[in-house]
Amino acid sequence: MSRKILILALISLLPSALQGSGSRTIDFTGEAGLPVNAAGPVLVMMDAERGRLIAANTITSSLTVIDCADGTVRNIPVGGRAYQHLKSESMTSRKSTGQVYLIGVGCFYVIDPAAETSLTVRTGAQLESVAVDEETGNVFLAGRESPDLFFYDAAEDKLTRLGWLKTSEPLVNLNATPPPPLRKVVSDPGLGRIIAVDGYTSTLWLFDSATGKPDRHRPVPVASGGRWHLGGYDMADHRLYIVTETAGREVKEAAMIDVAGSDDLVAALPGYREGVGIIYNPARREIYIPYD
């Protein structure tokens, strides 16, 4: 495999690029007679296996399921709201069942769109990143407010705090919203492991996804602290893609972390400010970094 990362910096979209294209705006708030949209989705995720779009709403305490073929909309109550300050890592799904896992305020939800049911699991801490094991349905969660890794045993319906790290800090607003989580969890079904990274110590950990037991850990050559963006995860190559910013919002590094081995790669970036919407394209092995 070629050891490279292609960085595409999307700085602006010129009006000339839009010539000849068209768009359609549907104003639901206008039709409802509302001046603002205060109850709209905060997180959006595609369930490609079932051809549906999942949207977690904030004020309405519900999950919206949209059938992409016919536009049918179903709203499933979840007993609480999605936490509006969290990023896309606070919602995930189990491909085999279609169940959705969503972090709320001091809890997380397990939602079954087929049965239109929701289970609330109280955590006692505000978490930020969630991953689910495909085989067992076990859930792993992490966040800056707790040094523990949270492990939910789906078969036993039991939540356990696994001793993991030593540091913690409050989830506070910075620059209008909290920064992306410095602690992230990602599931790799092929390895049977949950990948957990800690940006405070620049360390990679692997946990057994069935038992929650730690497997191994090692340092990664990425600057500690600041803001860590999750670019994506390549299931085929078992590689985690991270983009880092300084506390001053300068985007400094793009890193390819070899989860199964140690063949990491870090690329220096120009230092433009405020990276947003960062994503990895596994078909081309490229990271795209738009800037604010």
Side-chain angles (χ1 to χ4, degrees):
M1 187 192 79
S2 174
R3 295 180 70 253
K4 67 176 184 177
I5 302 176
L6 177 65
I7 314 300
L8 177 63
L10 305 177
I11 300 173
S12 66
L13 182 63
L14 300 178
S16 60
L18 299 179
Q19 292 179 358
S21 64
S23 64
R24 180 186 178 195
T25 300
I26 302 175
D27 184 6
F28 292 111
T29 55
E31 293 179 9
L34 300 174
V36 294
N37 178 16
V42 61
L43 297 167
V44 180
M45 176 179 67
M46 188 69 201
D47 182 352
E49 285 77 12
R50 293 160 187 83
R52 61 192 184 193
L53 192 68
I54 308 294
N57 305 303
T58 171
I59 295 175
T60 56
S61 300
S62 64
L63 190 83
T64 297
V65 181
I66 303 171
D67 189 305
C68 296
D70 59 18
T72 302
V73 176
R74 290 182 295 135
N75 291 306
I76 303 171
V78 296
R81 66 190 184 93
Y83 194 29
Q84 63 200 36
H85 295 317
L86 300 187
K87 314 302 179 186
S88 60
E89 295 151 69
S90 65
M91 182 167 69
T92 190
S93 66
R94 189 177 176 190
K95 302 290 187 294
S96 57
T97 65
Q99 289 174 303
V100 177
Y101 303 79
L102 171 67
I103 296 177
V105 181
C107 68
F108 72 93
Y109 309 106
V110 182
I111 305 123
D112 186 341
E116 298 190 355
T117 59
S118 173
L119 169 69
T120 301
V121 180
R122 300 291 172 187
T123 57
Q126 184 56 60
L127 302 173
E128 301 171 82
S129 182
V130 58
V132 61
D133 174 47
E134 279 293 324
E135 183 69 24
T136 63
N138 292 340
V139 185
F140 293 75
L141 307 101
R144 77 195 72 197
E145 287 198 347
S146 174
D148 298 327
L149 185 73
F150 287 66
F151 170 60
Y152 174 71
D153 187 317
E156 299 291 333
D157 186 23
K158 180 181 179 182
L159 181 69
T160 303
R161 287 184 178 222
L162 306 176
W164 181 28
L165 302 164
K166 296 180 179 180
T167 59
S168 63
E169 67 178 29
L171 179 67
V172 297
N173 286 1
L174 296 174
N175 212 17
T177 61
L182 274 167
R183 289 173 180 151
K184 305 178 186 295
V185 286
V186 178
S187 175
D188 188 325
L191 294 177
R193 295 292 182 268
I194 295 294
I195 298 99
V197 289
D198 175 47
Y200 296 94
T201 59
S202 296
T203 308
L204 166 75
W205 293 69
L206 296 183
F207 291 84
D208 188 296
S209 54
T211 66
K213 293 182 178 180
D215 179 10
R216 60 184 177 88
H217 68 278
R218 66 173 178 86
V220 292
V222 184
S224 302
R227 297 165 175 245
W228 282 30
H229 296 272
L230 177 62
Y233 188 77
D234 195 314
M235 294 292 181
D237 292 334
H238 311 294
R239 296 178 190 270
L240 177 69
Y241 291 83
I242 297 290
V243 175
T244 66
E245 287 185 16
T246 66
R249 303 300 307 273
E250 287 185 298
V251 184
K252 301 294 287 186
E253 301 170 315
M256 179 185 73
I257 300 172
D258 181 7
V259 171
S262 59
D263 190 22
D264 303 330
L265 176 65
V266 179
L269 298 175
Y272 298 136
R273 289 173 50 81
E274 302 191 28
V276 294
I278 295 166
I279 195 168
Y280 170 67
N281 178 359
R284 296 178 57 85
R285 293 177 178 167
E286 296 174 354
I287 301 176
Y288 306 122
I289 308 172
Y291 295 94
D292 244 1

